[in-house]
Amino acid sequence: FKQKTAYEIMPSLVGSEMCIRDRFEFPILTEGFINIDNEGNQKKIRIERAHLEQDAGKSIHDIDPKFSFIDLNRVGTPLLEIVSYPDLSSAEEVVSYMSSLRQVLMYIDVCDGNMQEGSLRADVNLSVRKKGGELGTRCEIKNLNSFKFIRQAIEYEFKRQIDVIESGGKIEQNTMLFDTSTGETRAMRSKEFSHDYRYFPDPDLLPVNLTQDQIDKVKTSVGELPQAKLDKFVKNYNVDKDIAKIITVEKQNAILFEKMISETDVKPKFIAAWLVGDIFAFIKENNLEVSSLNEKTKEITDLLKLVSDDVISNKAGKEILPKVLNGQGKPSDIVKELGLEQVSDSGELEKIIDEALIGEEENISKFQGGSDRVLGYFVGKCLKAVSYTHLRAHETRHDLVCRLLLE
């Protein structure tokens, strides 16, 4: 470990001098990569290094128009800085890279991914060049804490640098602040070079030497990463890729989905569609954690089984779902209580149809003459008749009524 001399004057929480420890010269991790989606294809983004640091606190510039504030609450907090190579070519690629990186960190329980609370932040180094030319002088935009601000900051700074160059100016290597209220970047200070930090060996911390055995043990405990889960959901479970992406974006989503498919023979594709639709909508509307439904997966899959087997209609399933998720009873009991079983017995329906056709000789003649409009009239009357018999409130399948009428 080494110290950055430039930070020695910063006070720590215990009142003594603060030196930032940084494993800069000998990073824990080197030469990695992450694949991101790029216009339907995979693009490999190389990771140069990941090294350990202590947080130095932060400056806050957007609370007061005249003053800046210093927040030392996180001073000394350990952090991991992950540095990519300059392989990213657009704001969209940066957001995709950050999203993928965040997923991996959350899946391996290194980080909770909460950018608003500072658990994950981005420093974006940006430079421009003409096509085929060399990269120009870079500026670093510090402490971006949302994908929205990352995108906005990059788009503004990209345009700013081009405007400076095309007007005959020169880009200065600065550390930049992104003002979220104006959507603009502005210089905070001139950007230091590595030697400006005047690193020197830390006298208090022993070297960290990882053995291959330690690395191998960690590998076996990591578990399945987001991309592997995505591929499995698409290839093995036949889930649409866009839906699989929604499920795998959060680890708890994937845990809930896999628990559900392990408890039923309902097709995973069917479960996935309900999960990203009505179930996630219920979670959002009620401000719940996804993990809160892990104890209710049996009831959820029992309900989806009823819908999948046509015991109840899709519409009835949507009506019952909130009751099931709120713990108001078993799906089968709620179905019976509300009388929502579908009428699929052709014998029952034939009786209803026969009664509905009494006194309709004129319309029957028109129907026999080929009038499609009369068919629609009969279907509507038959469905209405269902609700006034002992089968009241039962939902009858439209296609079965049509078939019986045509017969």
Side-chain angles (χ1 to χ4, degrees), residues 237-293:
Y237 300 151
N238 199 32
V239 175
D240 293 338
K241 189 172 183 180
D242 288 341
I243 291 179
K245 283 182 179 179
I246 296 172
I247 295 173
T248 56
V249 72
E250 301 281 353
K251 184 178 181 180
Q252 289 302 320
N253 295 354
I255 290 174
L256 179 62
F257 176 61
E258 291 188 309
K259 192 169 188 293
M260 289 169 66
I261 64 177
S262 71
E263 296 177 350
T264 183
D265 59 358
V266 176
K267 291 182 179 180
K269 184 174 183 177
F270 186 82
I271 294 174
W274 273 78
L275 180 62
V276 303
D278 292 85
I279 296 174
F280 280 173
F282 177 88
I283 290 171
K284 183 177 180 180
E285 289 169 5
N286 292 275
N287 197 27
L288 300 174
E289 296 290 337
V290 174
S291 58
S292 67
L293 298 188

Side-chain angles (χ1 to χ4, degrees), residues 202-213:
D202 191 296
D204 301 319
L205 299 178
L206 295 173
V208 174
N209 297 308
L210 299 177
T211 67
Q212 189 59 47
D213 285 344

Side-chain angles (χ1 to χ4, degrees), residues 5-206:
T5 307
Y7 287 106
E8 284 182 349
I9 61 171
M10 181 174 288
S12 73
L13 294 179
V14 295
S16 59
E17 75 170 10
M18 173 64 191
C19 296
I20 301 301
R21 272 80 176 195
D22 190 328
R23 182 133 179 165
F24 178 80
E25 191 172 344
F26 305 101
I28 296 291
L29 304 172
T30 58
E31 303 304 327
F33 70 91
I34 285 181
N35 288 322
I36 66 169
D37 282 333
N38 180 41
E39 297 180 353
N41 300 314
Q42 292 279 298
K43 180 175 180 179
K44 181 178 179 178
I45 307 301
R46 296 171 299 152
I47 296 175
E48 179 184 357
R49 61 194 292 116
H51 58 270
L52 298 174
E53 292 189 5
Q54 281 182 321
D55 202 321
K58 64 179 179 179
S59 300
I60 303 173
H61 307 281
D62 57 359
I63 294 179
D64 190 284
K66 296 181 180 180
F67 301 99
S68 292
F69 297 85
I70 305 298
D71 183 354
L72 299 180
N73 284 303
R74 289 179 56 84
V75 165
T77 302
L79 61 86
L80 180 69
E81 182 166 296
I82 302 170
V83 185
S84 68
Y85 282 101
D87 294 340
L88 298 159
S89 304
S90 69
E92 290 302 321
E93 286 188 7
V94 173
V95 171
S96 180
Y97 166 75
M98 283 295 299
S99 177
S100 298
L101 184 61
R102 176 177 176 271
Q103 275 186 290
V104 171
L105 295 174
M106 292 173 66
Y107 267 69
I108 61 177
D109 295 323
V110 167
C111 175
D112 64 14
N114 192 323
M115 299 184 72
Q116 286 72 26
E117 294 182 2
S119 300
L120 181 67
R121 294 170 291 181
D123 296 340
V124 176
N125 287 273
L126 189 148
S127 60
V128 298
R129 64 179 175 184
K130 291 185 177 180
K131 189 174 182 179
E134 295 293 324
L135 288 171
T137 301
R138 64 188 173 91
C139 291
E140 183 179 25
I141 313 169
K142 298 290 289 185
N143 292 326
L144 298 169
N145 65 351
S146 77
F147 295 146
K148 175 185 175 181
F149 294 153
I150 289 171
R151 182 181 287 106
Q152 289 178 347
I154 290 173
E155 290 173 349
Y156 180 85
E157 180 63 15
F158 172 69
K159 185 177 183 300
R160 184 193 74 84
Q161 291 191 21
I162 291 177
D163 289 344
V164 170
I165 293 170
E166 291 185 345
S167 63
K170 184 179 179 182
I171 301 297
E172 296 182 4
Q173 185 164 309
N174 287 328
T175 297
M176 311 292 289
L177 163 74
F178 177 66
D179 190 328
T180 59
S181 62
T182 64
E184 299 176 353
T185 60
R186 64 174 184 265
M188 291 194 296
R189 61 178 184 268
S190 61
K191 174 66 180 171
E192 302 93 343
F193 292 92
S194 179
H195 61 262
D196 292 326
Y197 290 119
R198 290 175 289 162
Y199 286 94
F200 65 93
D202 191 296
D204 301 319
L205 299 178
L206 295 173

